[in-house]
Amino acid sequence: MEKCIEEQLVNQKTTACVNKNIECIEVSDNRSRIKCEERKKKYILENTRKDHVILYKMDGGIIPQDKSVPPGICKCDYLFVLGGQECEAILTELKGVDVAHSLKQIDGTLSQFKALFSAFNHVYARIIVASSTPNIKASPNYVNLVKKLRNNYRGNLKIAEKQLVEKDVDLLK
């Protein structure tokens, strides 16, 4: 996957993709707004720096939905990769109501691609839920994921209801 990201960030045709990149890559350019959306839940990244951004579909793209993947593997829905001076990643999960499971999906994706995410300057996690966000800040899974993102990946976790619009320059806030 690292080779695929490198090629995309310099606008080369992807040669290292094990899947057909049509199934994995939804966006690869420097447009001003990039969004992922499922069942009325939406994450929008405002690319104010005009960096090259790649939007990967993780569940059903990078991680296929077939017999090659063991059942129960936790994975998030999307991955944004921001090029530029600091290469950054945003793991995004668009969830119905089970926020506790979405924490496991983000954590599972971090674990599966630990070497890849360790190479980024920052890794962020965004969870968008369909209904009001429950108070889970005291749960061990939430606390551990926040610590992991902050200490290992210099990032953070944000949870929003229905939609989150965020500027690239505000990710760390």
Side-chain angles (χ1 to χ4, degrees):
M1 186 161 163
E2 293 111 41
K3 181 86 169 140
C4 175
I5 291 171
E6 288 171 19
E7 290 173 344
Q8 285 294 309
L9 289 176
V10 294
N11 292 318
Q12 289 181 354
K13 184 174 166 117
T14 302
T15 59
C17 194
V18 292
N19 299 332
K20 296 175 186 157
N21 66 346
I22 288 173
E23 295 174 12
C24 302
I25 299 170
E26 298 209 346
V27 171
S28 181
D29 57 31
N30 64 345
R31 66 184 71 176
S32 59
R33 287 172 63 99
I34 302 99
K35 73 175 178 178
C36 59
E37 182 174 18
E38 281 181 9
R39 295 184 211 101
K40 298 183 182 178
K41 293 170 297 294
K42 193 184 308 183
Y43 177 78
I44 301 169
L45 177 68
E46 293 185 354
N47 186 14
T48 63
R49 298 182 302 223
K50 298 290 187 205
D51 289 332
H52 190 117
V53 177
I54 310 165
L55 173 58
Y56 289 98
K57 182 150 182 60
M58 293 297 286
D59 189 0
I62 300 290
I63 303 170
Q65 294 175 329
D66 61 21
K67 293 179 182 176
S68 70
V69 178
I73 291 289
C74 287
K75 63 243 180 222
C76 67
D77 292 321
Y78 294 94
L79 166 65
F80 289 77
V81 174
L82 290 73
Q85 288 182 309
E86 291 193 1
C87 208
E88 302 172 296
I90 307 167
L91 296 166
T92 308
E93 177 61 27
L94 305 171
K95 198 65 169 170
V97 291
D98 193 353
V99 178
H101 188 254
S102 64
L103 296 170
K104 291 178 186 174
Q105 289 175 282
I106 298 284
D107 195 39
T109 305
L110 283 169
S111 297
Q112 284 177 303
F113 297 98
K114 186 176 184 174
L116 171 71
F117 292 123
S118 294
F120 286 95
N121 289 321
H122 301 278
V123 177
Y124 308 98
R126 302 298 183 252
I127 299 171
I128 314 324
V129 295
S131 58
S132 62
T133 56
N135 189 358
I136 60 162
K137 293 186 178 183
S139 81
N141 287 343
Y142 178 87
V143 171
N144 291 336
L145 182 57
V146 167
K147 279 183 187 175
K148 180 187 274 190
L149 286 163
R150 183 181 56 237
N151 297 339
N152 299 353
Y153 302 103
R154 295 161 305 286
N156 58 29
L157 168 66
K158 293 180 186 174
I159 301 173
E161 184 181 331
K162 293 187 180 152
Q163 178 174 301
L164 176 59
V165 179
E166 189 170 40
K167 292 181 179 175
D168 53 1
V169 293
D170 294 334
L171 290 169
L172 206 49
K173 291 181 182 178

